[in-house]
């Protein structure tokens, strides 16, 4: 890093000049309070109360990132695992996140309606999530890609969306999972046509133009003997992270004179991953604690 | 990662059932459009035109992060270097940033008034900056801390502030630099009292209670023979990053038959670091291209 | 109205100059498109979907307005009637308002959750309500104050508040009605002490300092033989406006040759005023159509 | 106004029940604080500092209002006078408005950059302007329309727009005046073709389809001997209201024993109307106090 010439000269001149040390500092102190009015330009972006706060992250230029890091097609399990690991890191830092859902290079985090994290300030919430996710992505890279190095720091952009009712929130999550399904079905057929059917990507694209989901299932089934429904849940359903209580047996050494050991059963909250349908009722019936009552 | 039992059962059941493949997919397609209304809950947070957009990042719990990674006191040059490196990474990704200023665990990025990056959407701008900075921080860690590993992924939160005039923007930057000066003077005296004066931190805190800048300068000068103005510019002034044009001599091999080499002088924009006063006029007179005319 | 000298001269000069008529107009046309960029400075203030939109108006300097128009104390029924009449005028213009509640010099209007009036733009909604209410207030003045003229145009300011759930909305309305109760009890005792007890306003204020509601009821009951609960519902409960269906018998003259008359029963929506408790369940059970289901 | 039966019964029941008076009131007091949380749903809409705040009002359904009140075509001087009078009423109430510009059924009000009225809260500013304007419109109606009664209360909607620089603000005002010019030229030709040329409105519309400003000027000049530039400044330029200082001679009766009269010259700010070009430099050079320096 170079330091501009003018500045260095300026610095030198200053040191030579014999001036009362106090005056500079005093004026600097006064200067600060003189400038402090600029704080009033900050605006309040508090999220409306009693709404679910969703922060969604999307990878930036991840097509290029996937190319350069040779992600396998149509899905790279290492990359998906790293996304989930980073999302877990976010949840562990921000405990008011009650559910997170991810697929491909995106992840959505849902703060509970009554959350008061960062006084519900949208900018704080989304930048913290984006930051924690991104630093975790690089930090945990080697756990998933082992000896393959990460070539440059990736980035994700984020947004905040508010949902006033349980229905709206569930529809949001359903929308993302339906999107996962549609994209994964397309990608599965596309890459099967290319990798096993010997087509060029242009030919595969052409073949799929205008086809409905039914047609795509049919291609897989009749031409490649693949039943799409037998494909991996991870790829078809994406990843849902929630908090779950686990009973753990902990050995506690007592501070009493005889140093007796005690087995204590402790309940601990842990982030658990699911790869199941979250559009239907079953998931929500099995996890009634995720949503808060609309009229509470 | 565990997969909930119910989900796996659900998955299995589904595969067993012999049902027309199409129906599931079709309904999934319809489902997506049925859910798509949730997009309308997104709000527009476009930044007012013709204002400077400032994104400021602040380290979260960096006191603890500094402790755990044994940052030297009062300033750790490795940590400051890593901050600047990460900020440079942000500037190289987002070319509309005309100036950035950092000190301690904070960095401010200024987008030019006329910028249309991300259609000036505040959420996109601040999350992208926060994300790129954070992933870079982990990515470049080893360049500054060499064999000392990073223990966990750090995070930064961000905010957006708009400034309508050059005066307002300069006052913002002056405010941050005055803050740098005040904090650094305090920290310099504090840690000198502890490290060289043999005081406990409590004693040092006590000694400095109620002192003015002049008193602090005096302590340094009379007790430790330190002229504060001779201390490092990096610590006293923080780091200012701007774009600068450099002439570079490039050797170009011609594609002509004789493969002649040619020396070409090319002008290239590069991010340069300065550690100088940005409160006064001189810096701005020397770099007239940073600010746009108020009335353009 | 005076016209500035310079302008008139300018105008005259223009008329004298013989110049091709087209050029001025053409340049004016071009000018408009040149200036049109200023539209992009407008920001979008769409209200979050699926929330009740409440617009509350408050009289500005109504203490003075009441003084100058000699409103009776503690309540002026003409003034309250005019407030309700103006509120009805607002509801008749903006049919998506499902309930309105007023007391003293304030009125709250509740748009249904699913409303798309003005594309849910907050600024349009609140200014339209404020404008319609204010013009109606002057327009209908003489229906309530008869020969007493209005001395100057009054004004009201407004705000928009969003409520995501039925519970929140009902709590908002309960808050306003509880406020009505508390103020009216205070005012009733205060003016009884002055008007019937012969106290000065300062003495009455002093007497009431620190008293609880129970004390105030007791003063009314034991000193003036007034049971507060027998006071007018209008004053104790404020005014609630809702839409109600009425069957109306309409005489329709047929266009057929014999000009026969027909009595037709037609159902018509009309704004109806209530002065009852809206904190408890009964009102809402009797009018189940006001609120929409939280999870619709 | 009818009172719902249930409510009256409810009221009656309450009065009959012999219950300790205190309990109701106490619970009502507690109730209020229980409900008060709903205040936290209000959001802050403070306008960015150091920007001009423009509130623009537009008449709602004024086509119909003009029809029903038989406004003359293409311009009704009574209606334009009433608009200006109402705007003046707004300026006299809100002294931080430095300039207002109106044409047709719209009026724009510009608050000075440094204004702190209503703490710069957008909702307060725009609703107050909309309210004061609307009540004034009805209040002053009879001064302009004399014996012709106003048939129903009109309404205006409003919006807030921020402009960070003098150039932006002037371009906004230029945009409105260019709009005035274009509309007035069209309307002048259109109604001349109808009223003097004997065309139907459909024929006139057809005749003007695709014509440029030059063509319209030519039609007026060659067919009706009208030089558009000689038309009324009020119609071609709209109305600009600004504050101007006037010296006034005031007769002051002294309170001294001899009751002597004294002539005192006092400087008073008054709202003055101009109908001149505000696109060019001249107007702004002649009134240098309207705008504040961009870099102050």
């Amino acid at each position: 890093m170079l330091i501009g010439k003018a500045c260095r000269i300026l610095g030198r001149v200053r040191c030579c000049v014999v001036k009362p040390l106090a005056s500079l500092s005093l004026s600097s102190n006064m200067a600060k309070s003189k400038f402090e009015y600029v704080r009033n330009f900050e605006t309040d972006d508090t999220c409306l109360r009693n709404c679910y706060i969703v922060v969604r992250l999307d990878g930036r230029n991840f097509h290029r990132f996937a190319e350069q890091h040779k992600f396998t097609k149509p899905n790279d399990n290492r990359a998906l695992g790293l996304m989930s690991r980073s999302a877990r890191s976010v949840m562990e830092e921000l405990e008011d996140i009650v559910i997170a859902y991810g697929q491909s290079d995106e992840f959505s985090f849902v703060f509970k309606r009554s959350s008061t994290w960062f006084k519900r300030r949208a900018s704080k919430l989304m930048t913290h999530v984006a930051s924690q996710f991104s630093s975790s992505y690089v930090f945990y890279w080697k756990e998933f890609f082992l000896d393959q190095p990460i070539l440059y720091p990736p980035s994700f952009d984020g947004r905040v969306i508010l949902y006033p009712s349980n229905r709206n929130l569930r529809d949001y999550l359903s929308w993302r999972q339906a999107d996962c399904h549609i994209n994964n079905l397309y990608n599965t057929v596309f890459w099967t046509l290319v990798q096993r059917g010997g087509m060029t990507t242009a030919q595969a694209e052409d073949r799929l133009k205008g086809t409905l989901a039914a047609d795509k299932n049919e291609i897989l089934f009749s031409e490649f003997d693949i039943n799409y429904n037998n494909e991996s849940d991870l790829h078809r359903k994406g990843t849902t992270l929630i908090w779950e209580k686990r009973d753990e047996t902990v050995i506690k050494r007592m501070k009493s004179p005889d140093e007796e050991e005690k087995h204590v059963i402790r309940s601990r909250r842990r982030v658990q991953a699911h790869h199941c349908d979250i559009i239907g009722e079953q998931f929500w019936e099995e996890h009634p604690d995720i949503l808060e009552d609309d009229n509470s």
Side-chain angles (χ1 to χ4, degrees), chain A:
Chain A
M1 269 170 253
L2 293 179
I3 300 164
K5 198 179 64 174
C7 299
R8 267 182 293 141
I9 289 169
L10 183 69
R12 192 162 13 101
V13 168
R14 274 209 177 140
C15 305
C16 301
V17 171
V18 184
K19 61 158 128 177
L21 289 165
S23 75
L24 171 72
S25 313
L26 194 65
S27 70
S28 189
N29 258 322
M30 290 190 303
K32 197 187 165 192
S33 67
K34 177 183 143 203
F35 300 134
E36 219 147 16
Y37 81 92
V38 297
R39 299 181 80 160
N40 296 325
F41 286 70
E42 292 195 29
T43 50
D44 175 25
D45 60 350
T46 305
C47 294
L48 184 63
R49 267 72 173 174
N50 202 21
C51 292
Y52 290 103
I53 302 171
V54 174
V55 175
R56 182 168 84 243
L57 300 181
D58 291 281
R60 291 199 54 75
N61 296 322
F62 250 60
H63 187 72
R64 175 176 163 249
F65 190 82
E67 285 294 334
Q68 303 218 339
H69 291 88
K70 300 186 179 26
F71 285 6
T72 59
K73 305 260 164 78
N75 293 291
D76 185 309
N77 285 351
R78 301 165 302 171
L80 291 173
L82 178 54
M83 289 292 289
S84 289
R85 183 65 193 83
S86 305
R88 184 144 69 83
S89 164
V90 170
M91 283 182 79
E92 283 162 358
E93 280 297 310
L94 291 151
E95 295 180 23
D96 272 6
I97 296 171
V98 288
I99 185 169
Y101 175 76
Q103 53 130 332
S104 182
D105 63 347
E106 74 167 55
F107 235 101
S108 299
F109 300 88
V110 182
F111 290 80
K112 65 179 184 186
R113 303 169 86 122
S114 55
S115 178
T116 55
W117 269 83
F118 296 113
K119 297 181 184 168
R120 298 178 75 84
R121 289 195 56 182
S123 54
K124 297 274 188 176
L125 290 165
M126 67 180 132
T127 53
H128 191 182
V129 168
S131 171
Q132 186 74 43
F133 191 91
S134 305
S135 63
S136 300
Y137 195 93
V138 181
F139 187 84
Y140 293 112
W141 172 272
K142 62 183 173 304
E143 290 188 13
F144 294 84
F145 286 87
L146 309 174
D147 292 335
Q148 182 187 331
I150 186 167
L151 301 176
Y152 59 88
S155 85
F156 299 84
D157 63 51
R159 73 194 77 196
V160 159
I161 323 152
L162 301 179
Y163 290 110
S165 77
N166 289 349
R167 175 50 39 214
N168 296 149
L169 177 68
R170 281 191 50 189
D171 285 349
Y172 171 79
L173 293 168
S174 296
W175 176 51
R176 298 324 302 148
Q177 192 169 55
D179 184 75
C180 172
H181 170 76
I182 289 166
N183 290 335
N184 191 60
L185 176 55
Y186 183 93
N187 292 336
T188 302
V189 190
F190 180 89
W191 289 105
T192 303
L193 287 170
V194 171
Q195 292 163 354
R196 292 179 48 191
M199 285 189 179
T200 63
T201 53
Q203 287 169 329
E205 213 183 314
D206 221 50
R207 173 75 193 275
L208 292 176
K209 208 166 278 172
T211 57
L212 300 177
D215 306 322
K216 296 191 188 76
N217 274 296
E218 190 57 31
I219 291 170
L220 285 176
F221 196 67
S222 58
E223 301 183 22
F224 301 96
D225 200 25
I226 294 171
N227 182 337
Y228 179 70
N229 288 334
N230 291 346
E231 293 296 290
S232 148
D233 281 334
L234 164 62
H235 302 160
R236 289 187 305 120
K237 300 297 180 192
T239 300
T240 304
L241 302 178
I242 56 174
W243 289 101
E244 281 180 15
K245 283 211 182 73
R246 298 267 142 174
D247 286 342
E248 286 183 355
T249 308
V250 186
I251 299 169
K252 251 195 169 164
R253 207 156 293 201
M254 308 304 287
K255 286 188 175 173
S256 58
D258 51 356
E259 286 284 324
E260 198 184 1
E261 275 185 5
K262 246 192 179 167
H263 290 250
V264 179
I265 289 171
R266 205 171 52 174
S267 178
R268 233 174 69 108
R269 267 162 46 103
R270 281 194 48 178
V271 174
Q272 293 292 342
H274 296 256
H275 310 289
C276 63
D277 177 84
I278 57 172
I279 298 179
E281 296 302 320
Q282 189 171 345
F283 174 80
W284 302 98
E285 282 162 7
E286 284 169 13
H287 303 95
D289 297 338
I290 298 173
L291 303 182
E292 290 165 81
D293 191 10
D294 275 318
N295 235 345
S296 63

